[in-house]
Every structure is written in C-alpha cells, then in structure tokens.
C-alpha cells in the first residue's frame, strides 16, 4: 500500500465541482467586464485547437461570486471523452502547501517548534552526514522543521539531478522501471536517513522530498496516518469532497488522464487510469 508515499506523485486530486456551491453573478456586479471575460474561452480553445493542451477548465470568482466558469477540450484524447466542469485532476506538488498547512496547524497547537531538529521526531535523521567533495562530513547543525518547509534541509529529490546523493536516492527509493521500492513514507524516511545530505542545512534551496518527510513528521506528532489527519482536520471541515489520495470507484469516471507532447510534437496519453501510479 502506497497511501502514505510520495506526495508529489499523485498525492491528491481535486475538482472545481464545489464552485457550483458559490453564487453566480454578472461580472459587472463585482466590478468586472463581461466582454473581457468572454475572451477567455476562445483563447483557451485556441490552445486545444493547436494541440498545445488536451483540455482546460477556467474559473474566476470575485467577492465570493462566480463570474466565469467554462471548460474546453478533452479529458482523454484517446477516447475523445470531453472535459467537464467537475472533472478530477492530479494536483501533484500542490499537495505541498496542503501538507505544510496541516503541519502549521500542529505548530499552532504547540506540538513542536519550527526550530526543532527534525531528528527529535524522526530519529532516522539523527547524526546524518553531509557529502562534500565525495567525503562525508559532519553537518553544521541538524536540519530543522522550518528548513524542511523551505526546501533548505539538505535533502534532494533523486529524480531531477544526477549528483552522488541523487543517485543514492534513486537506488534506495525507486525501481528502474519507475516504481517505488518503499511502501510508506515511514520506510522512505528510514532509507533517506542512511544517505548523506546533499549540502549543509540552511545554505541552499533545493526542491526536494522535504514535504514528504514533513508528512511523516505529522504522522508521528499527531498519532494518525497522514491521509486520516488531512481528511479529518482539513478536507471534511472545508467540504473538500473531491480531494483525496486515492480516487473512489464512484468518481473514477471523472478522473483525467495525463498527456504530454511526443518527440514528433503530438499530445499523447501517457498515464491511463488503470496504469496510473498511486501512493497506496
């Protein structure tokens, strides 16, 4: 089960269906122009017609009122299924602000300080070294929760670079086929704790698995799995009914595919529902 793993990789899906809960209004009533807003749909349609995008949903609200809500294009170019206003999409790394907000809720409750070393809660990182010119040296300090949140902890991703540390991440965490060797973020953290940091904490910004580690910290501090914590503390109170780690069977029909441009410039489906990697 990958439910707790790799928040960047299909962590949540979200729809704009709840936009229907907001009141619609004429643009002029909230200080906007109907004529200008009517230019949006044909502009988006041009992206679809030029095969730059498979489909687009656009929504504009002001002062709590919906003044523009349109969709163009396809949900799946292979099947020709049309995009709808309530279609579901992967939000990928937009999971990061969600998880960081969850962590800040615990901070507000006094469960930790932002200056606390992460190793206070995740012992796997106790005494972790830093790789400098091929040699492992002591860290100037143990990286903190604040540094986790700001991608300055010394961690990396393993998939966007090719440093020695990136290579170690790939070897420890990922299969050559692109799958995962670890099943939970607890296992991921334990593997990462065996790998030196890529740079001294606090000295560089490097896009990394920091927020995945933060997700595990939330589990330890709250005593709940990350998915349960997010559901109970954020999604339910905010009526985020279409945000989840795994798409329910009764909503799969609304779930979109992934497309990317092939070498010959053609938009192609690359991730079908039944082959989509999921953190389960």
């Amino acid at each position: 089960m990958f439910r707790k793993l790799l928040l960047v990789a299909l962590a949540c899906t979200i729809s704009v269906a709840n936009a229907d809960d907001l009141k619609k209004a004429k643009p002029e009533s909230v200080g906007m122009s109907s004529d200008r807003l009517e230019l949006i749909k044909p502009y988006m349609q041009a992206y679809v017609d030029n095969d730059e995008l498979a489909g687009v949903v656009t929504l504009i609200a002001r002062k709590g009122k919906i003044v523009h809500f349109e969709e163009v294009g396809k949900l799946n170019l292979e099947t020709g299924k049309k995009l709808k206003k309530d279609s579901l999409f992967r939000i990928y790394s937009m999971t990061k602000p969600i998880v960081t907000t969850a962590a800040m809720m615990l901070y507000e409750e006094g469960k930790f300080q932002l200056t606390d070393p992460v190793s206070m809660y995740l012992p796997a990182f106790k005494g972790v070294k830093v790789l400098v010119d091929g040699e492992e040296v002591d860290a100037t300090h143990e990286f903190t929760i604040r540094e986790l949140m700001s991608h300055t902890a010394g961690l990396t991703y393993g998939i966007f670079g090719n440093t020695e540390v990136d290579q170690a991440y790939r070897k420890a965490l990922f299969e050559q086929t692109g799958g995962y060797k670890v099943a939970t973020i607890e296992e991921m953290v334990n593997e990462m704790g065996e790998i030196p940091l890529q740079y001294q904490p606090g000295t560089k910004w490097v896009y990394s698995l920091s927020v995945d580690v933060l997700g595990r910290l939330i589990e330890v501090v709250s005593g709940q799995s990350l998915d349960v914590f997010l559901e109970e503390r954020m999604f339910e109170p905010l009526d985020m009914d279409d945000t989840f780690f795994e798409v329910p069977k009764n909503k799969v029909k609304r779930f979109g595919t992934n497309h990317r441009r092939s070498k010959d410039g053609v938009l192609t489906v690359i991730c079908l529902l039944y082959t989509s990697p999921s953190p389960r």
Side-chain angles (χ1 to χ4, degrees):
M1 295 292 288
F2 285 87
R3 180 177 299 278
K4 307 187 205 68
L5 174 66
L6 295 176
L7 304 176
V8 67
L10 178 60
C12 299
T13 53
I14 190 167
S15 83
V16 289
N18 285 342
D20 289 331
D21 295 335
L22 299 177
K23 293 181 179 180
K24 297 180 181 179
K26 291 184 177 181
E28 284 71 20
S29 69
V30 293
M32 302 194 77
S33 167
S34 296
D35 291 339
R36 299 294 291 175
L37 291 174
E38 286 176 0
L39 298 176
I40 295 175
K41 185 172 183 177
Y43 196 85
M44 295 298 106
Q45 185 65 55
Y47 281 107
V48 174
D49 294 342
N50 293 330
D51 294 326
E52 295 182 59
L53 295 171
V56 186
V57 177
T58 51
L59 183 149
I60 295 177
R62 193 178 191 203
K63 298 180 180 179
K65 304 290 179 63
I66 300 293
V67 295
H68 165 88
F69 194 11
E70 299 284 354
E71 79 284 352
V72 296
K74 300 290 193 297
L75 189 66
N76 184 327
L77 289 178
E78 285 190 356
T79 65
K81 188 173 183 178
K82 290 184 178 181
L83 190 65
K84 296 183 178 180
K85 290 185 177 71
D86 67 346
S87 294
L88 298 174
F89 304 95
R90 299 163 179 83
I91 64 171
Y92 287 100
S93 282
M94 286 309 297
T95 309
K96 289 179 170 63
I98 292 176
V99 171
T100 304
T101 298
M104 290 303 292
M105 293 169 68
L106 293 172
Y107 166 71
E108 286 187 333
E109 294 170 3
K111 299 298 177 60
F112 58 76
Q113 296 299 312
L114 297 180
T115 53
D116 285 345
V118 172
S119 62
M120 286 179 58
Y121 309 93
L122 305 178
F125 291 114
K126 184 68 177 177
V128 67
K129 301 289 186 178
V130 182
L131 192 65
V132 178
D133 297 328
E135 299 290 334
E136 293 189 15
V137 302
D138 291 338
T140 55
H141 66 274
E142 294 196 349
F143 62 84
T144 66
I145 295 174
R146 186 193 304 275
E147 288 168 335
L148 268 189
M149 292 180 175
S150 61
H151 291 281
T152 60
L155 306 175
T156 185
Y157 237 118
I159 56 177
F160 300 123
N162 198 37
T163 66
E164 290 182 60
V165 177
D166 283 311
Q167 293 174 32
Y169 273 47
R170 291 198 291 270
K171 184 177 180 180
L173 304 178
F174 305 110
E175 301 284 359
Q176 291 185 348
T177 56
Y180 309 119
K181 289 184 178 179
V182 291
T184 66
I185 48 176
E186 179 180 7
E187 291 181 22
M188 182 195 72
V189 163
N190 290 337
E191 291 290 342
M192 292 172 65
E194 298 294 323
I195 302 171
L197 301 179
Q198 184 165 288
Y199 54 92
Q200 288 288 357
T203 62
K204 292 183 180 181
W205 181 92
V206 175
Y207 195 58
S208 67
L209 290 171
S210 289
V211 183
D212 301 65
V213 175
L214 186 64
R216 175 56 185 161
L217 187 144
I218 290 172
E219 292 186 331
V220 171
V221 172
S222 69
Q224 294 179 294
S225 64
L226 182 60
D227 58 326
V228 171
F229 184 89
L230 293 178
E231 180 66 25
E232 292 184 358
R233 298 292 302 275
M234 294 184 69
F235 301 157
E236 287 185 1
L238 294 174
D239 291 329
M240 296 171 67
D241 299 328
D242 283 332
T243 307
F244 23 68
F245 280 92
E246 180 182 1
V247 183
K249 290 182 179 180
N250 65 338
K251 297 186 179 185
V252 167
K253 290 182 179 180
R254 295 164 52 201
F255 187 34
T257 56
N258 276 357
H259 301 81
R260 74 177 174 194
R261 197 171 303 283
S262 64
K263 292 181 180 179
D264 56 1
V266 178
L267 276 181
T268 306
V269 172
I270 62 167
C271 194
L272 298 171
L273 295 181
Y274 51 82
T275 60
S276 178
S278 177
R280 293 191 54 182

